[in-house]
Short mmCIF file of all heavy atoms in Angstrom, two decimals:
data_model
loop_
_atom_site.label_atom_id
_atom_site.label_comp_id
_atom_site.label_asym_id
_atom_site.label_seq_id
_atom_site.Cartn_x
_atom_site.Cartn_y
_atom_site.Cartn_z
N ALA U 1 -19.11 -2.14 -4.83
CA ALA U 1 -18.19 -1.05 -4.56
C ALA U 1 -17.79 -0.43 -5.86
O ALA U 1 -17.93 -0.95 -6.92
CB ALA U 1 -16.96 -1.60 -3.78
N GLU U 2 -17.22 0.79 -5.74
CA GLU U 2 -16.68 1.49 -6.94
C GLU U 2 -15.22 1.61 -6.76
O GLU U 2 -14.78 2.39 -5.89
CB GLU U 2 -17.34 2.87 -7.11
CG GLU U 2 -16.84 3.65 -8.23
CD GLU U 2 -17.21 3.16 -9.58
OE1 GLU U 2 -18.35 2.62 -9.67
OE2 GLU U 2 -16.46 3.26 -10.57
N PHE U 3 -14.40 0.86 -7.51
CA PHE U 3 -12.98 0.93 -7.45
C PHE U 3 -12.52 1.87 -8.56
O PHE U 3 -13.12 2.00 -9.60
CB PHE U 3 -12.33 -0.43 -7.61
CG PHE U 3 -12.55 -1.29 -6.43
CD1 PHE U 3 -13.70 -2.13 -6.30
CD2 PHE U 3 -11.69 -1.33 -5.33
CE1 PHE U 3 -13.93 -2.92 -5.22
CE2 PHE U 3 -11.88 -2.11 -4.24
CZ PHE U 3 -13.02 -2.93 -4.19
N PRO U 4 -11.39 2.54 -8.31
CA PRO U 4 -10.94 3.56 -9.35
C PRO U 4 -10.51 2.92 -10.71
O PRO U 4 -10.56 3.58 -11.75
CB PRO U 4 -9.71 4.20 -8.69
CG PRO U 4 -9.32 3.39 -7.54
CD PRO U 4 -10.51 2.58 -7.13
N ALA U 5 -10.16 1.67 -10.69
CA ALA U 5 -9.72 1.01 -11.94
C ALA U 5 -10.53 -0.30 -12.15
O ALA U 5 -11.38 -0.63 -11.28
CB ALA U 5 -8.19 0.71 -11.85
N GLN U 6 -10.21 -1.04 -13.15
CA GLN U 6 -10.89 -2.27 -13.46
C GLN U 6 -10.64 -3.29 -12.41
O GLN U 6 -9.63 -3.41 -11.83
CB GLN U 6 -10.36 -2.82 -14.81
CG GLN U 6 -10.51 -1.89 -15.98
CD GLN U 6 -11.87 -1.97 -16.62
OE1 GLN U 6 -12.72 -2.73 -16.27
NE2 GLN U 6 -12.05 -1.19 -17.65
N VAL U 7 -11.68 -4.07 -12.16
CA VAL U 7 -11.60 -5.22 -11.23
C VAL U 7 -11.57 -6.53 -12.04
O VAL U 7 -12.33 -6.63 -13.02
CB VAL U 7 -12.75 -5.20 -10.23
CG1 VAL U 7 -12.82 -6.52 -9.48
CG2 VAL U 7 -12.66 -4.08 -9.30
N GLY U 8 -10.68 -7.45 -11.69
CA GLY U 8 -10.53 -8.73 -12.48
C GLY U 8 -11.23 -9.87 -11.86
O GLY U 8 -11.62 -10.80 -12.56
N ALA U 9 -11.39 -9.89 -10.52
CA ALA U 9 -11.98 -11.06 -9.81
C ALA U 9 -12.45 -10.64 -8.44
O ALA U 9 -11.99 -9.64 -7.88
CB ALA U 9 -10.93 -12.19 -9.75
N ALA U 10 -13.39 -11.44 -7.99
CA ALA U 10 -13.97 -11.24 -6.57
C ALA U 10 -14.33 -12.57 -6.10
O ALA U 10 -14.88 -13.42 -6.85
CB ALA U 10 -15.10 -10.24 -6.58
N ASP U 11 -14.17 -12.83 -4.78
CA ASP U 11 -14.54 -14.13 -4.21
C ASP U 11 -14.87 -13.94 -2.75
O ASP U 11 -14.37 -13.05 -2.13
CB ASP U 11 -13.52 -15.23 -4.43
CG ASP U 11 -14.06 -16.60 -4.44
OD1 ASP U 11 -15.23 -16.80 -4.07
OD2 ASP U 11 -13.37 -17.49 -4.85
N TRP U 12 -15.74 -14.79 -2.24
CA TRP U 12 -16.20 -14.73 -0.82
C TRP U 12 -15.13 -15.28 0.14
O TRP U 12 -14.44 -16.27 -0.13
CB TRP U 12 -17.46 -15.56 -0.68
CG TRP U 12 -18.62 -15.05 -1.50
CD1 TRP U 12 -18.85 -15.36 -2.79
CD2 TRP U 12 -19.58 -14.14 -1.05
NE1 TRP U 12 -20.02 -14.70 -3.17
CE2 TRP U 12 -20.45 -13.92 -2.13
CE3 TRP U 12 -19.83 -13.47 0.13
CZ2 TRP U 12 -21.57 -13.08 -2.07
CZ3 TRP U 12 -20.94 -12.57 0.24
CH2 TRP U 12 -21.79 -12.38 -0.88
N ALA U 13 -15.09 -14.72 1.31
CA ALA U 13 -14.32 -15.32 2.43
C ALA U 13 -15.16 -16.53 2.87
O ALA U 13 -16.37 -16.61 2.65
CB ALA U 13 -14.25 -14.29 3.57
N PRO U 14 -14.53 -17.54 3.45
CA PRO U 14 -15.20 -18.73 3.83
C PRO U 14 -16.38 -18.55 4.75
O PRO U 14 -17.36 -19.27 4.73
CB PRO U 14 -14.12 -19.59 4.50
CG PRO U 14 -12.89 -19.17 3.88
CD PRO U 14 -13.06 -17.70 3.64
N ASP U 15 -16.37 -17.46 5.59
CA ASP U 15 -17.47 -17.24 6.55
C ASP U 15 -18.57 -16.41 5.85
O ASP U 15 -19.64 -16.15 6.45
CB ASP U 15 -16.95 -16.49 7.80
CG ASP U 15 -16.37 -15.17 7.51
OD1 ASP U 15 -16.41 -14.58 6.40
OD2 ASP U 15 -15.88 -14.56 8.54
N GLY U 16 -18.41 -15.93 4.64
CA GLY U 16 -19.41 -15.21 3.91
C GLY U 16 -19.57 -13.77 4.37
O GLY U 16 -20.51 -13.07 3.92
N LYS U 17 -18.70 -13.31 5.24
CA LYS U 17 -18.88 -11.89 5.81
C LYS U 17 -18.11 -10.88 5.04
O LYS U 17 -18.26 -9.72 5.26
CB LYS U 17 -18.45 -11.91 7.30
CG LYS U 17 -19.38 -12.71 8.17
CD LYS U 17 -18.92 -12.69 9.59
CE LYS U 17 -19.94 -13.52 10.43
NZ LYS U 17 -19.52 -13.57 11.82
N SER U 18 -17.18 -11.33 4.17
CA SER U 18 -16.40 -10.33 3.42
C SER U 18 -16.10 -10.95 2.03
O SER U 18 -16.25 -12.17 1.82
CB SER U 18 -15.19 -9.93 4.15
OG SER U 18 -14.35 -11.06 4.40
N ILE U 19 -15.66 -10.05 1.10
CA ILE U 19 -15.36 -10.44 -0.23
C ILE U 19 -13.94 -9.91 -0.56
O ILE U 19 -13.71 -8.65 -0.32
CB ILE U 19 -16.38 -9.93 -1.16
CG1 ILE U 19 -17.76 -10.55 -1.00
CG2 ILE U 19 -15.99 -10.16 -2.67
CD1 ILE U 19 -18.89 -9.99 -1.75
N ALA U 20 -13.09 -10.71 -1.17
CA ALA U 20 -11.78 -10.28 -1.61
C ALA U 20 -11.95 -9.87 -3.04
O ALA U 20 -12.59 -10.54 -3.82
CB ALA U 20 -10.72 -11.38 -1.49
N VAL U 21 -11.32 -8.76 -3.44
CA VAL U 21 -11.46 -8.18 -4.79
C VAL U 21 -10.02 -8.03 -5.32
O VAL U 21 -9.19 -7.43 -4.65
CB VAL U 21 -12.24 -6.85 -4.79
CG1 VAL U 21 -12.25 -6.32 -6.17
CG2 VAL U 21 -13.64 -7.09 -4.23
N LEU U 22 -9.76 -8.36 -6.54
CA LEU U 22 -8.53 -8.29 -7.21
C LEU U 22 -8.68 -7.25 -8.36
O LEU U 22 -9.57 -7.46 -9.20
CB LEU U 22 -8.10 -9.57 -7.82
CG LEU U 22 -6.77 -9.63 -8.63
CD1 LEU U 22 -5.62 -9.31 -7.71
CD2 LEU U 22 -6.58 -11.00 -9.26
N GLY U 23 -7.96 -6.17 -8.24
CA GLY U 23 -8.04 -5.12 -9.28
C GLY U 23 -6.80 -4.36 -9.56
O GLY U 23 -5.83 -4.53 -8.83
N GLN U 24 -6.83 -3.56 -10.49
CA GLN U 24 -5.65 -2.74 -10.84
C GLN U 24 -5.48 -1.59 -9.86
O GLN U 24 -6.45 -1.06 -9.32
CB GLN U 24 -5.84 -2.15 -12.23
CG GLN U 24 -6.01 -3.12 -13.34
CD GLN U 24 -6.45 -2.49 -14.65
OE1 GLN U 24 -6.78 -1.32 -14.73
NE2 GLN U 24 -6.44 -3.28 -15.71
N THR U 25 -4.21 -1.27 -9.62
CA THR U 25 -3.88 -0.20 -8.70
C THR U 25 -3.62 1.14 -9.37
O THR U 25 -3.66 2.16 -8.79
CB THR U 25 -2.65 -0.54 -7.80
OG1 THR U 25 -1.52 -0.66 -8.65
CG2 THR U 25 -2.90 -1.78 -6.99
N GLY U 26 -3.21 1.05 -10.68
CA GLY U 26 -2.83 2.20 -11.39
C GLY U 26 -1.37 2.53 -11.29
O GLY U 26 -0.81 3.36 -11.94
N GLU U 27 -0.65 1.81 -10.37
CA GLU U 27 0.78 2.04 -10.23
C GLU U 27 1.57 1.25 -11.30
O GLU U 27 1.19 0.13 -11.65
CB GLU U 27 1.27 1.51 -8.84
CG GLU U 27 0.71 2.27 -7.69
CD GLU U 27 1.23 1.70 -6.36
OE1 GLU U 27 2.36 1.21 -6.34
OE2 GLU U 27 0.45 1.80 -5.42
N GLN U 28 2.65 1.85 -11.82
CA GLN U 28 3.52 1.19 -12.79
C GLN U 28 4.42 0.29 -11.98
O GLN U 28 5.22 0.83 -11.22
CB GLN U 28 4.28 2.19 -13.60
CG GLN U 28 3.44 2.85 -14.61
CD GLN U 28 4.29 3.61 -15.63
OE1 GLN U 28 5.47 3.94 -15.36
NE2 GLN U 28 3.78 3.97 -16.74
N ARG U 29 4.34 -0.99 -12.19
CA ARG U 29 5.24 -1.91 -11.46
C ARG U 29 6.38 -2.37 -12.36
O ARG U 29 7.38 -2.82 -11.80
CB ARG U 29 4.40 -3.06 -10.91
CG ARG U 29 3.32 -2.49 -10.06
CD ARG U 29 2.99 -3.38 -8.95
NE ARG U 29 2.15 -2.67 -8.08
CZ ARG U 29 1.41 -3.15 -7.16
NH1 ARG U 29 1.47 -4.42 -6.97
NH2 ARG U 29 0.71 -2.40 -6.38
N PHE U 30 6.17 -2.37 -13.60
CA PHE U 30 7.18 -2.87 -14.51
C PHE U 30 7.34 -1.80 -15.66
O PHE U 30 6.41 -1.20 -16.11
CB PHE U 30 6.75 -4.19 -15.24
CG PHE U 30 6.46 -5.27 -14.29
CD1 PHE U 30 5.15 -5.62 -13.93
CD2 PHE U 30 7.47 -5.95 -13.70
CE1 PHE U 30 4.89 -6.56 -13.04
CE2 PHE U 30 7.22 -7.03 -12.80
CZ PHE U 30 5.93 -7.33 -12.45
#
């Protein structure tokens, strides 16, 4: 996939049908 910002991690769902992706949102949170 092409996410708008950097991705830090990705891992499979236990059933192997989807992947969770952790990435930046671009929102200022702090």
